[in-house]
Amino acid sequence: MRRVGGDERGLGGPDGVEPPSDRHIADAVDKAAGETVVSHVTLGKLRKGEQVATTDARLAALAECFGGDPLFFQRSGEEIVDEIALRLRYLIAPHSGDITGAGRLSSSHAELVEFVERAVRERQAGEDR
């Protein structure tokens, strides 16, 4: 099998290398799962939205292969953003004086962005030491 791309799984990356085919991805998913989990035909249908329902085992194998969370494959982008915003509000709660742990539901987008940017800067500063 011809290696397509830039990581240990043989999957293509953003480095301008030819993107992997559905067959190539299905083979990598099956290899990561240690068993046949998805065919290239099914993978193609899932990718194009021609098939939306699939098994939890298949979603878990796809997530494992791509190093992600199975929820990424189960939710819309809007649902993921909503969940992340809710979790950020929980992170902000102790810093905002909210002792309920619910976070201020009125937290603005700007407050969330500022909190995340500050947390990233603090983490990077800690790693640089």
Side-chain angles (χ1 to χ4, degrees), residues 1 5 22 24 29 35 47 49-50 55-56 70-71 82 89 91 101 112 120 124 128:
M1 175 183 302
D22 291 339
H24 191 94
V29 169
E35 62 180 308
R47 183 179 50 75
E50 295 171 0
T55 66
D56 289 341
L71 292 177
D82 288 346
R89 286 187 179 102
L91 287 172
L112 294 174
V120 168
Q124 287 174 337
D128 290 342

Side-chain angles (χ1 to χ4, degrees), residues 44-59:
K45 288 179 181 178
L46 288 167
R47 183 179 50 75
K48 293 183 263 184
E50 295 171 0
Q51 177 180 334
V52 293
T54 193
T55 66
D56 289 341
R58 188 173 289 142
L59 291 172

